Amino acid sequence: SSGINAEWPLRPGCFKLSYYNEYKSYLSKMTKKRRNGGRNKNGRGHVKFVRCSNCGRCCPKDKSIKKFIIRNIVEAAALRDIGDQSVYKSYILPKLYVKLHYCVSCAIHSKVVRNRSREDRRIRTPPVRGIPGRQRQQPAQKANK
């Protein structure tokens, strides 16, 4: 025997199928870090790519970290000066609406998201957001003994 499989010409798919089954059983034993695999794809097979707002990297739209920013076109320092010089007294300046897409690396680096412990990763409720213009209530501090 020269080391060549005698069944190979008869069943050309047997070689690939055995490797596929091994790989499939290997995947079923592997641990998963996240239930969703770090994506929000669910039943879709393919998702369009978006470019990272920071570095320009291509990243699937469902995997990218999204941040929606609403801010005034004019900064706060110049807002009063424009209001004084304006002919219209009750004119409201338009706002700037920007949706930023970050790749995972840039989101972690710029502290948009932070890594969490295994127990904290199970918490799926979004964090409490600070409402602009209002101050959050401070929790009562413990008295020192």
Side-chain angles (χ1 to χ4, degrees):
S1 104
S2 61
I4 299 171
N5 189 353
E7 296 177 1
W8 181 253
L10 302 174
R11 296 189 314 152
C14 67
F15 182 74
K16 292 178 185 174
L17 185 63
S18 64
Y19 272 115
Y20 174 73
N21 287 337
E22 274 184 44
Y23 182 67
K24 205 167 150 185
S25 66
Y26 170 70
L27 285 178
S28 66
K29 294 174 190 170
M30 284 176 62
T31 56
K32 277 183 81 173
K33 191 170 188 179
R34 288 174 189 83
R35 185 165 69 170
N36 61 4
R39 300 186 65 163
N40 192 17
K41 191 164 63 98
N42 298 343
R44 291 179 278 284
H46 186 263
V47 178
K48 296 268 188 196
F49 282 87
V50 292
R51 303 303 292 259
C52 173
S53 304
N54 191 33
C55 68
R57 178 181 182 175
C58 273
C59 155
K61 188 178 179 183
D62 62 316
K63 188 174 188 174
S64 68
I65 289 92
K66 292 145 230 23
K67 186 177 179 184
F68 194 68
I69 295 177
I70 305 168
R71 59 185 169 125
N72 292 324
I73 289 177
V74 181
E75 57 198 26
L79 197 60
R80 205 181 96 209
D81 297 337
I82 291 171
D84 293 343
Q85 297 294 321
S86 177
V87 176
Y88 305 106
K89 294 298 172 195
S90 63
Y91 182 70
I92 300 167
L93 283 168
K95 293 188 181 294
L96 194 65
Y97 298 93
V98 182
K99 186 164 190 182
L100 301 172
H101 293 272
Y102 289 104
C103 66
V104 176
S105 309
C106 290
I108 292 168
H109 182 71
S110 57
K111 296 179 182 170
V112 176
V113 290
R114 293 192 170 96
N115 59 355
R116 299 186 289 172
S117 67
R118 185 178 291 177
E119 291 80 32
D120 289 347
R121 259 182 258 149
R122 291 176 177 269
I123 301 167
R124 303 190 72 204
T125 55
V128 179
R129 279 205 241 162
I131 302 167
R134 293 187 198 167
Q135 290 187 357
R136 282 186 256 162
Q137 294 176 352
Q138 296 291 329
Q141 293 182 352
K142 296 177 183 176
N144 294 332
K145 290 185 179 180

